[in-house]
Amino acid sequence: PKMKEDHCLHTALLCLGVLCCSQALGTERLNHSRPSLHGHHEKGKEGQVLHRSKRGWVWNQFFVIEEYTGPDPVLVGRLHSDIDSGDGNIKYILSGEGAGIIFVIDDKSGNIHATKTLDREERAQYTLTAQAVDRNTNRPLEPPSEFIVKVQDINDNPPEFLHENYHANVPERSNVGTSVIQVTASDADDPTYGNSAKLVYSILEGQPYFSVEAQTGIIRTALPNMDREAKEEYHVVIQAKDMGGHMGGLSGTTKVTITLTDVNDNPPKFPQSVYQMSVSEAAVPGEEVGRVKAKDPDIGENGLVAYSIIDGDGMDMFEITTDYETQEGVVKLKKTLDYETKKSYSLKVEAANVHIDPKFISNGPFKDTVTVKIVVEDADEPPVFLKPSYIFEVQENAASGTVVGKVHAKDPDAANSAIRYSIDRHTDLERYFFINAEDGNIKTIKALDREEMAWHNISVFAVEVHKQHQEAKVPIAIKVVDINDNAPKFAAAYEAFVCENARSNQQFITISADDKDDSANGPRFIFSLPPEIIHNPNFTLRDNRDNTASVLVRREGFSRQKQDLYLLPIVISDGGVPPLSSTNTLTIRVCGCDSSGSLLSCNAEAYVLNAGLSTGALIAILACIVILLVIVVLFVTLKRQKKEPLIVFEEEDVRENIITYDDEGGGEEDTEAFDIATLQNPDGINGFIPRKDIKPEYQYLPRPGLRPAPNSVDVDDFINTRIQEADNDPTAPPYDSIQIYGYEGRGSVAGSLSSLESATTDSDLDYDYLQNWGPRFKKLADLYGSKDTFDDDS
């Protein structure tokens, strides 16, 4: 730092000396070139007289060096007018940018000095105005004139990079000269003056891997075949120096971190030549056996590896898949293994890159192989049936103990343990079968009926004798073979009708049969009449040979009066071996028919009536008889229910039918439970009946201790008492219209609900709350609230 400071000081002094010389020359040049304010004559060449025009001062730009740190102010320049005779009467005035602050002028001599240190990077020039005035009167002696003071640059600013740190990527194994990144620096000094802003780039750290172009700042690779797997990241320091890179220039540096990106330049490689694995023979297909992994130093998609089985005696038994998260090959079981059949397998597994870069194909092949040996371990296996399922047949109705079939299972292990058999009783709830636990023979326990169940599906267990937990299960389907054990019968409950006027050989019904046996023991059916009635004079049978038969009339004319019902036995035989037959009876009714053969009536009683009456007349007569019977039954029923006569005679008084409505019995129509004692009001026993048609003066209380005696009431006395009370009370309404509403029974907790029988005439209750009950109670609120209104009006 001290050397740099001395160097800067020497440079400043050198520039200052040059400036002083140039200023002296400029002043001398100015004095020689500046004309006098007063014109005077000069002789030119060849004796010609020249006249100089009168004008003010003229000067060019002034220069002042920046960053001057001397003890005295810097002399910028001197102003002088030709009219200045040196007597001190002229005063020089300076105005403009920085006048009086940065730049000051001696008003007598015109010398301009810079009082402060200037920085060109802050301001490159200043515009000032100079004028000569009379010192005494301040009258301008010449017009004002502008001039410029330029700040002369020195190399006081080092180069600066745009970023303190740069990051860049370049593929590994790139060719020499591959562009990586361009770095750029800037210098605040004046690029138009000298070499203060002329920059040159160089590399301080990062050789011999990278280089930088001196003029452009482009960083390039300098070594071939740089390997990311060997070194992935490099730190490079770049310097930018001004003054064209020469000694004395200022410099700045930046750091560049360069990362080599991956390319697929490495093939996968297994770390070992043989992998040993084992798997139990009890493993199920799809179960993982083991894993292999080939290492690839590349990353990303360049390091992806796919695995495959390319050879070996276990290609059909095993498969391999790729786990792309761990980049491992997963060996899985493809088929079920059997230790007793084959105890080991060998596989040749290949690992290959998924993405191959053609630029590096010469580095290949990008794959590797390994041998995988798999040992099958013996497992304690359950017994194995010789067949996956069994189908047996047995005839129905076979005797108990009949052999149905035999199942066989064996222990696949080398021990070959003994096997015991049993039937899964959940599949044979009715216990039709049992199995010999030693040899597996299945037999019937009871006779089977095909018509009840044609197939039986059961399951049989096989377990090792010494290892009960090892068991196997096999399904068995048992077909019940049909035998001809069911005779055919009518397919339906037939009932035939034949007309009295039927013609000979007329068919009147077709019958068919049904057999529960299998088709082999069922149809074809043969229909016939029993031998004893084969010459039946009334009916005959014709077999249609299609499992149906037709019944025909053998003679003409039948009479319902003589016989209206015939029973015809029919024999039906099936086609089984041996054939079975059954006799079925066909019921035939004789009916009356019209000329077209339509049935009219099949009742024999119809002929007892007069032959002159039609069917409609007979129906009308029967209807009338039924109606009369119904009326008689109703009359008798009502007579039994009522004790009093149904008809009220004129001479009887109807007043005894007066009903008190406070009775909570069965109502008016409950005549069966009617009791005259209910008419008696307990208050009326004492000779007092409250009036309901006038406003009471006080409330009558019933006398305690008096109870009505309904069982000893004399009706005549009761009615006479009522008549007497009514006759003696001229204000009472007619006696035959008395209706009592006030009595509500004894012992009621609630009082009377009737507003007509209030204890007091003027109630003190407040019914204003009715106004809050809504429009539905408005009428009620008006009625009970009218009292207050009338009081207010009065």
PDB file of all heavy atoms in Angstrom, residues 204-235:
ATOM      1  N   LEU A 204      -6.015 -15.047 -11.925  1.00  0.00           N
ATOM      2  CA  LEU A 204      -5.101 -15.163 -10.803  1.00  0.00           C
ATOM      3  C   LEU A 204      -5.111 -16.570 -10.219  1.00  0.00           C
ATOM      4  O   LEU A 204      -4.065 -17.065  -9.786  1.00  0.00           O
ATOM      5  CB  LEU A 204      -5.481 -14.150  -9.712  1.00  0.00           C
ATOM      6  CG  LEU A 204      -5.442 -12.674 -10.125  1.00  0.00           C
ATOM      7  CD1 LEU A 204      -5.780 -11.792  -8.932  1.00  0.00           C
ATOM      8  CD2 LEU A 204      -4.080 -12.286 -10.699  1.00  0.00           C
ATOM      9  N   GLU A 205      -6.321 -17.191 -10.170  1.00  0.00           N
ATOM     10  CA  GLU A 205      -6.452 -18.556  -9.662  1.00  0.00           C
ATOM     11  C   GLU A 205      -7.322 -19.349 -10.631  1.00  0.00           C
ATOM     12  O   GLU A 205      -8.295 -18.823 -11.169  1.00  0.00           O
ATOM     13  CB  GLU A 205      -7.097 -18.556  -8.268  1.00  0.00           C
ATOM     14  CG  GLU A 205      -6.290 -17.902  -7.180  1.00  0.00           C
ATOM     15  CD  GLU A 205      -7.001 -17.963  -5.832  1.00  0.00           C
ATOM     16  OE1 GLU A 205      -7.963 -18.746  -5.719  1.00  0.00           O
ATOM     17  OE2 GLU A 205      -6.603 -17.227  -4.904  1.00  0.00           O
ATOM     18  N   GLY A 206      -7.017 -20.613 -10.799  1.00  0.00           N
ATOM     19  CA  GLY A 206      -7.793 -21.480 -11.673  1.00  0.00           C
ATOM     20  C   GLY A 206      -6.999 -22.097 -12.792  1.00  0.00           C
ATOM     21  O   GLY A 206      -7.532 -22.879 -13.594  1.00  0.00           O
ATOM     22  N   GLN A 207      -5.711 -21.727 -12.896  1.00  0.00           N
ATOM     23  CA  GLN A 207      -4.873 -22.422 -13.875  1.00  0.00           C
ATOM     24  C   GLN A 207      -4.508 -23.796 -13.322  1.00  0.00           C
ATOM     25  O   GLN A 207      -4.483 -23.983 -12.109  1.00  0.00           O
ATOM     26  CB  GLN A 207      -3.588 -21.620 -14.160  1.00  0.00           C
ATOM     27  CG  GLN A 207      -3.844 -20.260 -14.767  1.00  0.00           C
ATOM     28  CD  GLN A 207      -3.716 -19.155 -13.719  1.00  0.00           C
ATOM     29  OE1 GLN A 207      -3.882 -19.427 -12.531  1.00  0.00           O
ATOM     30  NE2 GLN A 207      -3.427 -17.949 -14.149  1.00  0.00           N
ATOM     31  N   PRO A 208      -4.293 -24.753 -14.152  1.00  0.00           N
ATOM     32  CA  PRO A 208      -4.264 -24.655 -15.626  1.00  0.00           C
ATOM     33  C   PRO A 208      -5.602 -25.090 -16.255  1.00  0.00           C
ATOM     34  O   PRO A 208      -5.637 -25.423 -17.428  1.00  0.00           O
ATOM     35  CB  PRO A 208      -3.160 -25.630 -15.999  1.00  0.00           C
ATOM     36  CG  PRO A 208      -3.310 -26.716 -14.961  1.00  0.00           C
ATOM     37  CD  PRO A 208      -3.762 -26.055 -13.691  1.00  0.00           C
ATOM     38  N   TYR A 209      -6.670 -25.052 -15.458  1.00  0.00           N
ATOM     39  CA  TYR A 209      -7.926 -25.603 -15.966  1.00  0.00           C
ATOM     40  C   TYR A 209      -8.675 -24.611 -16.849  1.00  0.00           C
ATOM     41  O   TYR A 209      -9.347 -25.004 -17.806  1.00  0.00           O
ATOM     42  CB  TYR A 209      -8.815 -26.013 -14.777  1.00  0.00           C
ATOM     43  CG  TYR A 209      -8.135 -26.944 -13.819  1.00  0.00           C
ATOM     44  CD1 TYR A 209      -7.649 -26.492 -12.586  1.00  0.00           C
ATOM     45  CD2 TYR A 209      -7.947 -28.285 -14.138  1.00  0.00           C
ATOM     46  CE1 TYR A 209      -7.018 -27.345 -11.701  1.00  0.00           C
ATOM     47  CE2 TYR A 209      -7.323 -29.146 -13.242  1.00  0.00           C
ATOM     48  CZ  TYR A 209      -6.855 -28.671 -12.026  1.00  0.00           C
ATOM     49  OH  TYR A 209      -6.226 -29.515 -11.158  1.00  0.00           O
ATOM     50  N   PHE A 210      -8.528 -23.305 -16.531  1.00  0.00           N
ATOM     51  CA  PHE A 210      -9.290 -22.308 -17.265  1.00  0.00           C
ATOM     52  C   PHE A 210      -8.389 -21.150 -17.640  1.00  0.00           C
ATOM     53  O   PHE A 210      -7.335 -20.918 -17.041  1.00  0.00           O
ATOM     54  CB  PHE A 210     -10.472 -21.799 -16.403  1.00  0.00           C
ATOM     55  CG  PHE A 210     -11.433 -22.878 -16.016  1.00  0.00           C
ATOM     56  CD1 PHE A 210     -11.320 -23.519 -14.783  1.00  0.00           C
ATOM     57  CD2 PHE A 210     -12.443 -23.262 -16.879  1.00  0.00           C
ATOM     58  CE1 PHE A 210     -12.193 -24.515 -14.423  1.00  0.00           C
ATOM     59  CE2 PHE A 210     -13.323 -24.267 -16.510  1.00  0.00           C
ATOM     60  CZ  PHE A 210     -13.206 -24.897 -15.292  1.00  0.00           C
ATOM     61  N   SER A 211      -8.803 -20.386 -18.615  1.00  0.00           N
ATOM     62  CA  SER A 211      -8.105 -19.185 -19.072  1.00  0.00           C
ATOM     63  C   SER A 211      -9.141 -18.104 -19.319  1.00  0.00           C
ATOM     64  O   SER A 211     -10.345 -18.382 -19.394  1.00  0.00           O
ATOM     65  CB  SER A 211      -7.316 -19.463 -20.356  1.00  0.00           C
ATOM     66  OG  SER A 211      -8.198 -19.829 -21.414  1.00  0.00           O
ATOM     67  N   VAL A 212      -8.675 -16.820 -19.455  1.00  0.00           N
ATOM     68  CA  VAL A 212      -9.582 -15.705 -19.686  1.00  0.00           C
ATOM     69  C   VAL A 212      -8.998 -14.849 -20.803  1.00  0.00           C
ATOM     70  O   VAL A 212      -7.782 -14.661 -20.902  1.00  0.00           O
ATOM     71  CB  VAL A 212      -9.798 -14.888 -18.395  1.00  0.00           C
ATOM     72  CG1 VAL A 212      -8.494 -14.266 -17.916  1.00  0.00           C
ATOM     73  CG2 VAL A 212     -10.867 -13.824 -18.585  1.00  0.00           C
ATOM     74  N   GLU A 213      -9.860 -14.365 -21.662  1.00  0.00           N
ATOM     75  CA  GLU A 213      -9.434 -13.456 -22.720  1.00  0.00           C
ATOM     76  C   GLU A 213      -9.202 -12.076 -22.117  1.00  0.00           C
ATOM     77  O   GLU A 213     -10.060 -11.543 -21.402  1.00  0.00           O
ATOM     78  CB  GLU A 213     -10.496 -13.385 -23.807  1.00  0.00           C
ATOM     79  CG  GLU A 213     -10.643 -14.692 -24.586  1.00  0.00           C
ATOM     80  CD  GLU A 213     -11.645 -14.569 -25.730  1.00  0.00           C
ATOM     81  OE1 GLU A 213     -12.241 -13.479 -25.866  1.00  0.00           O
ATOM     82  OE2 GLU A 213     -11.823 -15.548 -26.466  1.00  0.00           O
ATOM     83  N   ALA A 214      -8.012 -11.471 -22.427  1.00  0.00           N
ATOM     84  CA  ALA A 214      -7.594 -10.237 -21.774  1.00  0.00           C
ATOM     85  C   ALA A 214      -8.516  -9.070 -22.096  1.00  0.00           C
ATOM     86  O   ALA A 214      -8.762  -8.215 -21.237  1.00  0.00           O
ATOM     87  CB  ALA A 214      -6.152  -9.896 -22.176  1.00  0.00           C
ATOM     88  N   GLN A 215      -9.054  -8.998 -23.308  1.00  0.00           N
ATOM     89  CA  GLN A 215      -9.844  -7.836 -23.699  1.00  0.00           C
ATOM     90  C   GLN A 215     -11.337  -8.009 -23.421  1.00  0.00           C
ATOM     91  O   GLN A 215     -12.014  -7.056 -23.105  1.00  0.00           O
ATOM     92  CB  GLN A 215      -9.622  -7.565 -25.207  1.00  0.00           C
ATOM     93  CG  GLN A 215      -8.171  -7.385 -25.600  1.00  0.00           C
ATOM     94  CD  GLN A 215      -7.490  -6.229 -24.874  1.00  0.00           C
ATOM     95  OE1 GLN A 215      -8.112  -5.202 -24.594  1.00  0.00           O
ATOM     96  NE2 GLN A 215      -6.205  -6.407 -24.536  1.00  0.00           N
ATOM     97  N   THR A 216     -11.856  -9.242 -23.513  1.00  0.00           N
ATOM     98  CA  THR A 216     -13.303  -9.451 -23.412  1.00  0.00           C
ATOM     99  C   THR A 216     -13.746 -10.005 -22.056  1.00  0.00           C
ATOM    100  O   THR A 216     -14.914  -9.879 -21.695  1.00  0.00           O
ATOM    101  CB  THR A 216     -13.772 -10.431 -24.491  1.00  0.00           C
ATOM    102  OG1 THR A 216     -13.106 -11.700 -24.285  1.00  0.00           O
ATOM    103  CG2 THR A 216     -13.429  -9.892 -25.875  1.00  0.00           C
ATOM    104  N   GLY A 217     -12.880 -10.637 -21.305  1.00  0.00           N
ATOM    105  CA  GLY A 217     -13.261 -11.222 -20.029  1.00  0.00           C
ATOM    106  C   GLY A 217     -13.970 -12.564 -20.168  1.00  0.00           C
ATOM    107  O   GLY A 217     -14.602 -13.027 -19.205  1.00  0.00           O
ATOM    108  N   ILE A 218     -13.878 -13.228 -21.321  1.00  0.00           N
ATOM    109  CA  ILE A 218     -14.513 -14.528 -21.527  1.00  0.00           C
ATOM    110  C   ILE A 218     -13.603 -15.609 -20.945  1.00  0.00           C
ATOM    111  O   ILE A 218     -12.427 -15.698 -21.303  1.00  0.00           O
ATOM    112  CB  ILE A 218     -14.779 -14.788 -23.010  1.00  0.00           C
ATOM    113  CG1 ILE A 218     -15.763 -13.742 -23.557  1.00  0.00           C
ATOM    114  CG2 ILE A 218     -15.322 -16.191 -23.225  1.00  0.00           C
ATOM    115  CD1 ILE A 218     -16.001 -13.871 -25.057  1.00  0.00           C
ATOM    116  N   ILE A 219     -14.199 -16.426 -20.065  1.00  0.00           N
ATOM    117  CA  ILE A 219     -13.445 -17.523 -19.452  1.00  0.00           C
ATOM    118  C   ILE A 219     -13.669 -18.768 -20.298  1.00  0.00           C
ATOM    119  O   ILE A 219     -14.811 -19.115 -20.637  1.00  0.00           O
ATOM    120  CB  ILE A 219     -13.919 -17.756 -18.011  1.00  0.00           C
ATOM    121  CG1 ILE A 219     -13.719 -16.490 -17.174  1.00  0.00           C
ATOM    122  CG2 ILE A 219     -13.174 -18.923 -17.381  1.00  0.00           C
ATOM    123  CD1 ILE A 219     -14.281 -16.601 -15.768  1.00  0.00           C
ATOM    124  N   ARG A 220     -12.604 -19.480 -20.598  1.00  0.00           N
ATOM    125  CA  ARG A 220     -12.667 -20.681 -21.429  1.00  0.00           C
ATOM    126  C   ARG A 220     -11.923 -21.821 -20.728  1.00  0.00           C
ATOM    127  O   ARG A 220     -11.079 -21.589 -19.847  1.00  0.00           O
ATOM    128  CB  ARG A 220     -12.067 -20.431 -22.816  1.00  0.00           C
ATOM    129  CG  ARG A 220     -12.782 -19.326 -23.585  1.00  0.00           C
ATOM    130  CD  ARG A 220     -12.183 -19.149 -24.980  1.00  0.00           C
ATOM    131  NE  ARG A 220     -12.824 -18.075 -25.708  1.00  0.00           N
ATOM    132  CZ  ARG A 220     -13.943 -18.215 -26.434  1.00  0.00           C
ATOM    133  NH1 ARG A 220     -14.525 -19.412 -26.507  1.00  0.00           N
ATOM    134  NH2 ARG A 220     -14.453 -17.181 -27.080  1.00  0.00           N
ATOM    135  N   THR A 221     -12.285 -23.061 -21.134  1.00  0.00           N
ATOM    136  CA  THR A 221     -11.576 -24.227 -20.600  1.00  0.00           C
ATOM    137  C   THR A 221     -10.187 -24.273 -21.190  1.00  0.00           C
ATOM    138  O   THR A 221      -9.961 -23.947 -22.368  1.00  0.00           O
ATOM    139  CB  THR A 221     -12.344 -25.505 -20.940  1.00  0.00           C
ATOM    140  OG1 THR A 221     -12.502 -25.610 -22.362  1.00  0.00           O
ATOM    141  CG2 THR A 221     -13.714 -25.527 -20.292  1.00  0.00           C
ATOM    142  N   ALA A 222      -9.251 -24.732 -20.360  1.00  0.00           N
ATOM    143  CA  ALA A 222      -7.859 -24.769 -20.809  1.00  0.00           C
ATOM    144  C   ALA A 222      -7.303 -26.183 -20.838  1.00  0.00           C
ATOM    145  O   ALA A 222      -6.228 -26.401 -21.419  1.00  0.00           O
ATOM    146  CB  ALA A 222      -6.987 -23.894 -19.904  1.00  0.00           C
ATOM    147  N   LEU A 223      -8.024 -27.155 -20.242  1.00  0.00           N
ATOM    148  CA  LEU A 223      -7.554 -28.537 -20.240  1.00  0.00           C
ATOM    149  C   LEU A 223      -8.620 -29.437 -20.846  1.00  0.00           C
ATOM    150  O   LEU A 223      -9.822 -29.233 -20.616  1.00  0.00           O
ATOM    151  CB  LEU A 223      -7.240 -29.004 -18.816  1.00  0.00           C
ATOM    152  CG  LEU A 223      -5.957 -28.495 -18.169  1.00  0.00           C
ATOM    153  CD1 LEU A 223      -5.820 -29.092 -16.768  1.00  0.00           C
ATOM    154  CD2 LEU A 223      -4.741 -28.848 -19.005  1.00  0.00           C
ATOM    155  N   PRO A 224      -8.225 -30.467 -21.558  1.00  0.00           N
ATOM    156  CA  PRO A 224      -9.209 -31.399 -22.105  1.00  0.00           C
ATOM    157  C   PRO A 224      -9.570 -32.477 -21.059  1.00  0.00           C
ATOM    158  O   PRO A 224      -8.825 -32.730 -20.115  1.00  0.00           O
ATOM    159  CB  PRO A 224      -8.483 -32.014 -23.295  1.00  0.00           C
ATOM    160  CG  PRO A 224      -7.048 -31.997 -22.903  1.00  0.00           C
ATOM    161  CD  PRO A 224      -6.860 -30.758 -22.057  1.00  0.00           C
ATOM    162  N   ASN A 225     -10.777 -33.104 -21.284  1.00  0.00           N
ATOM    163  CA  ASN A 225     -11.209 -34.274 -20.517  1.00  0.00           C
ATOM    164  C   ASN A 225     -11.244 -34.030 -19.010  1.00  0.00           C
ATOM    165  O   ASN A 225     -10.814 -34.874 -18.209  1.00  0.00           O
ATOM    166  CB  ASN A 225     -10.323 -35.487 -20.820  1.00  0.00           C
ATOM    167  CG  ASN A 225     -10.390 -35.895 -22.274  1.00  0.00           C
ATOM    168  OD1 ASN A 225     -11.452 -35.794 -22.903  1.00  0.00           O
ATOM    169  ND2 ASN A 225      -9.266 -36.340 -22.813  1.00  0.00           N
ATOM    170  N   MET A 226     -11.706 -32.875 -18.621  1.00  0.00           N
ATOM    171  CA  MET A 226     -11.906 -32.661 -17.192  1.00  0.00           C
ATOM    172  C   MET A 226     -13.059 -33.556 -16.735  1.00  0.00           C
ATOM    173  O   MET A 226     -14.150 -33.551 -17.327  1.00  0.00           O
ATOM    174  CB  MET A 226     -12.221 -31.189 -16.912  1.00  0.00           C
ATOM    175  CG  MET A 226     -10.989 -30.298 -16.991  1.00  0.00           C
ATOM    176  SD  MET A 226     -11.302 -28.622 -16.367  1.00  0.00           S
ATOM    177  CE  MET A 226     -12.408 -28.002 -17.595  1.00  0.00           C
ATOM    178  N   ASP A 227     -12.830 -34.312 -15.665  1.00  0.00           N
ATOM    179  CA  ASP A 227     -13.766 -35.354 -15.226  1.00  0.00           C
ATOM    180  C   ASP A 227     -14.534 -34.870 -13.990  1.00  0.00           C
ATOM    181  O   ASP A 227     -13.925 -34.527 -12.970  1.00  0.00           O
ATOM    182  CB  ASP A 227     -13.004 -36.641 -14.906  1.00  0.00           C
ATOM    183  CG  ASP A 227     -13.947 -37.822 -14.706  1.00  0.00           C
ATOM    184  OD1 ASP A 227     -15.176 -37.645 -14.878  1.00  0.00           O
ATOM    185  OD2 ASP A 227     -13.459 -38.916 -14.371  1.00  0.00           O
ATOM    186  N   ARG A 228     -15.855 -34.859 -14.105  1.00  0.00           N
ATOM    187  CA  ARG A 228     -16.672 -34.435 -12.969  1.00  0.00           C
ATOM    188  C   ARG A 228     -16.530 -35.391 -11.800  1.00  0.00           C
ATOM    189  O   ARG A 228     -16.580 -34.992 -10.632  1.00  0.00           O
ATOM    190  CB  ARG A 228     -18.150 -34.358 -13.390  1.00  0.00           C
ATOM    191  CG  ARG A 228     -19.083 -33.837 -12.293  1.00  0.00           C
ATOM    192  CD  ARG A 228     -20.521 -34.189 -12.579  1.00  0.00           C
ATOM    193  NE  ARG A 228     -20.719 -35.626 -12.518  1.00  0.00           N
ATOM    194  CZ  ARG A 228     -20.942 -36.303 -11.405  1.00  0.00           C
ATOM    195  NH1 ARG A 228     -20.969 -35.687 -10.255  1.00  0.00           N
ATOM    196  NH2 ARG A 228     -21.114 -37.618 -11.429  1.00  0.00           N
ATOM    197  N   GLU A 229     -16.401 -36.669 -12.118  1.00  0.00           N
ATOM    198  CA  GLU A 229     -16.282 -37.655 -11.058  1.00  0.00           C
ATOM    199  C   GLU A 229     -14.977 -37.493 -10.276  1.00  0.00           C
ATOM    200  O   GLU A 229     -14.902 -37.893  -9.113  1.00  0.00           O
ATOM    201  CB  GLU A 229     -16.384 -39.063 -11.624  1.00  0.00           C
ATOM    202  CG  GLU A 229     -17.788 -39.449 -12.096  1.00  0.00           C
ATOM    203  CD  GLU A 229     -18.199 -38.770 -13.382  1.00  0.00           C
ATOM    204  OE1 GLU A 229     -17.292 -38.508 -14.209  1.00  0.00           O
ATOM    205  OE2 GLU A 229     -19.400 -38.489 -13.557  1.00  0.00           O
ATOM    206  N   ALA A 230     -13.956 -36.881 -10.894  1.00  0.00           N
ATOM    207  CA  ALA A 230     -12.702 -36.619 -10.195  1.00  0.00           C
ATOM    208  C   ALA A 230     -12.774 -35.317  -9.402  1.00  0.00           C
ATOM    209  O   ALA A 230     -12.390 -35.262  -8.234  1.00  0.00           O
ATOM    210  CB  ALA A 230     -11.534 -36.567 -11.188  1.00  0.00           C
ATOM    211  N   LYS A 231     -13.272 -34.252 -10.025  1.00  0.00           N
ATOM    212  CA  LYS A 231     -13.447 -32.975  -9.351  1.00  0.00           C
ATOM    213  C   LYS A 231     -14.607 -32.259 -10.016  1.00  0.00           C
ATOM    214  O   LYS A 231     -14.618 -32.066 -11.233  1.00  0.00           O
ATOM    215  CB  LYS A 231     -12.171 -32.126  -9.432  1.00  0.00           C
ATOM    216  CG  LYS A 231     -12.262 -30.833  -8.624  1.00  0.00           C
ATOM    217  CD  LYS A 231     -10.943 -30.069  -8.650  1.00  0.00           C
ATOM    218  CE  LYS A 231     -11.035 -28.806  -7.804  1.00  0.00           C
ATOM    219  NZ  LYS A 231      -9.771 -28.027  -7.802  1.00  0.00           N
ATOM    220  N   GLU A 232     -15.573 -31.851  -9.195  1.00  0.00           N
ATOM    221  CA  GLU A 232     -16.812 -31.305  -9.758  1.00  0.00           C
ATOM    222  C   GLU A 232     -16.815 -29.788  -9.773  1.00  0.00           C
ATOM    223  O   GLU A 232     -17.371 -29.188 -10.677  1.00  0.00           O
ATOM    224  CB  GLU A 232     -18.016 -31.818  -8.948  1.00  0.00           C
ATOM    225  CG  GLU A 232     -19.361 -31.368  -9.487  1.00  0.00           C
ATOM    226  CD  GLU A 232     -20.510 -31.978  -8.713  1.00  0.00           C
ATOM    227  OE1 GLU A 232     -20.244 -32.681  -7.715  1.00  0.00           O
ATOM    228  OE2 GLU A 232     -21.678 -31.747  -9.098  1.00  0.00           O
ATOM    229  N   GLU A 233     -16.143 -29.138  -8.826  1.00  0.00           N
ATOM    230  CA  GLU A 233     -16.261 -27.687  -8.677  1.00  0.00           C
ATOM    231  C   GLU A 233     -14.888 -27.045  -8.654  1.00  0.00           C
ATOM    232  O   GLU A 233     -13.945 -27.559  -8.031  1.00  0.00           O
ATOM    233  CB  GLU A 233     -17.021 -27.366  -7.396  1.00  0.00           C
ATOM    234  CG  GLU A 233     -17.497 -25.927  -7.293  1.00  0.00           C
ATOM    235  CD  GLU A 233     -18.397 -25.728  -6.085  1.00  0.00           C
ATOM    236  OE1 GLU A 233     -17.869 -25.569  -4.959  1.00  0.00           O
ATOM    237  OE2 GLU A 233     -19.621 -25.760  -6.274  1.00  0.00           O
ATOM    238  N   TYR A 234     -14.784 -25.895  -9.342  1.00  0.00           N
ATOM    239  CA  TYR A 234     -13.524 -25.142  -9.426  1.00  0.00           C
ATOM    240  C   TYR A 234     -13.805 -23.697  -9.032  1.00  0.00           C
ATOM    241  O   TYR A 234     -14.871 -23.138  -9.353  1.00  0.00           O
ATOM    242  CB  TYR A 234     -12.949 -25.176 -10.843  1.00  0.00           C
ATOM    243  CG  TYR A 234     -12.528 -26.563 -11.291  1.00  0.00           C
ATOM    244  CD1 TYR A 234     -13.456 -27.440 -11.836  1.00  0.00           C
ATOM    245  CD2 TYR A 234     -11.213 -26.989 -11.181  1.00  0.00           C
ATOM    246  CE1 TYR A 234     -13.089 -28.709 -12.253  1.00  0.00           C
ATOM    247  CE2 TYR A 234     -10.832 -28.257 -11.595  1.00  0.00           C
ATOM    248  CZ  TYR A 234     -11.771 -29.113 -12.136  1.00  0.00           C
ATOM    249  OH  TYR A 234     -11.395 -30.369 -12.547  1.00  0.00           O
ATOM    250  N   HIS A 235     -12.792 -23.081  -8.358  1.00  0.00           N
ATOM    251  CA  HIS A 235     -12.890 -21.687  -7.950  1.00  0.00           C
ATOM    252  C   HIS A 235     -11.832 -20.887  -8.698  1.00  0.00           C
ATOM    253  O   HIS A 235     -10.625 -21.135  -8.572  1.00  0.00           O
ATOM    254  CB  HIS A 235     -12.686 -21.536  -6.444  1.00  0.00           C
ATOM    255  CG  HIS A 235     -13.728 -22.256  -5.636  1.00  0.00           C
ATOM    256  ND1 HIS A 235     -14.987 -21.762  -5.442  1.00  0.00           N
ATOM    257  CD2 HIS A 235     -13.682 -23.455  -4.990  1.00  0.00           C
ATOM    258  CE1 HIS A 235     -15.692 -22.606  -4.713  1.00  0.00           C
ATOM    259  NE2 HIS A 235     -14.928 -23.655  -4.425  1.00  0.00           N
TER     260      HIS A 235
END
